Amino acid sequence: MRKIVFVTGNKGKFREAKEILAAKDIEVIQNNEGYPELQEDDLEPIAAFGAEWAAQRLGMPVMVDDSGLFIRALNGFPGPYSAFVEKNLGNKKVLKLMEDEKDRTATFKSVIGYCEPGKEAEVFTGTVEGTISFEERGTGGFGYDPIFDYNGKTFGELGSKEKNRVSHRRRALDKFFMWLD
Ligand code: ITT
């Protein structure tokens, strides 16, 4: 079985990746020592740099997942600042920012960076389109899941099985797996 170290401090991301990759005979091991996150508008260079940095440091095949929520009416905010905004503002304040907005479309994006020591990183992007709900709904998932509405249910209401079938992370991991194969 292939072993990959997943460098992330986010338990929700790790749990989902583990569930998705278990079906593919890949064992993922969590490492929460972090990596330097570049300040960029796009997630791809952040994931590529992080994966290369961590692979060099750990001497093992490494994956990282840089993700974020891009809200159209807010010109893509919080985007690459999603972790900071979640920690310091939270879902209620994001909903407040969206109070008067009619266009509620948003994109969840996940970029998997993968790197083997001495090689260059590969990146795999997955997105899913939805809308920002008017209130938090559901207790499943993590982070922005209670305010991300996908076809009438938030990711917080969907349950992990259903979310993992359609999510941005699933789509990025599918591309990664096809490449590994
Ligand atoms: P690591 O960098 O340690 O992996 P992080 O939580 O800091 O963890 P990011 O920098 O990629 O991760 O920030 C992404 C933010 O978006 C963070 O607040 C996540 O909780 C949130 N997020 C990412 N994927 C999500 C998902 O599937 N559902 C809900 N929120 C998500």
Side-chain angles (χ1 to χ4, degrees):
M1 197 193 251
R2 195 190 279 273
K3 278 191 187 168
I4 299 173
V5 178
F6 184 3
V7 181
T8 179
N10 186 312
K11 285 190 193 126
K13 281 185 188 176
F14 179 69
R15 188 181 59 237
E16 288 181 7
K18 208 173 147 149
E19 277 170 26
I20 294 167
L21 291 176
K24 314 277 191 194
D25 238 27
I26 298 174
E27 187 189 349
V28 280
I29 303 152
Q30 187 180 9
N31 174 298
N32 57 17
E33 288 160 23
Y35 55 87
E37 288 200 26
L38 300 182
Q39 198 155 14
E40 297 271 355
D41 291 340
D42 294 323
L43 306 181
E44 282 81 359
I46 305 175
F49 180 85
E52 262 178 48
W53 185 91
Q56 284 315 109
R57 205 175 79 88
L58 299 172
M60 286 186 68
V62 156
M63 64 180 268
V64 302
D65 168 337
D66 201 53
S67 38
L69 178 66
F70 295 73
I71 303 176
R72 194 197 285 168
L74 305 180
N75 296 322
F77 183 84
Y81 311 108
S82 292
F84 181 86
V85 169
E86 190 200 317
K87 203 162 117 217
N88 295 287
L89 299 180
N91 287 335
K92 288 204 170 54
K93 289 208 169 134
V94 174
L95 290 179
K96 186 105 187 133
L97 279 176
M98 288 296 291
E99 223 165 41
D100 299 320
E101 299 295 344
K102 290 210 172 58
D103 178 2
R104 306 196 67 86
T105 52
T107 305
F108 247 140
K109 184 167 168 180
S110 160
V111 179
I112 301 293
Y114 174 73
C115 190
E116 293 170 6
K119 296 199 182 156
E120 277 185 21
E122 301 283 338
V123 292
F124 309 90
T125 300
T127 60
V128 59
E129 305 289 326
T131 56
I132 301 300
S133 60
F134 287 91
E135 67 288 303
E136 292 179 90
R137 298 199 319 264
T139 52
F142 65 99
Y144 297 104
D145 283 343
I147 63 167
F148 186 81
D149 192 300
Y150 179 78
N151 290 339
K153 274 191 182 171
T154 67
F155 270 4
E157 291 174 312
L158 274 191
S160 70
K161 218 171 169 186
E162 197 57 22
K163 178 186 172 189
N164 287 343
R165 227 167 44 80
V166 298
S167 74
H168 48 315
R169 183 157 296 106
R170 168 60 182 272
R171 290 171 182 172
L173 287 170
D174 275 352
K175 285 188 192 166
F176 172 39
F177 185 69
M178 267 170 47
W179 176 87
L180 270 182
D181 237 11

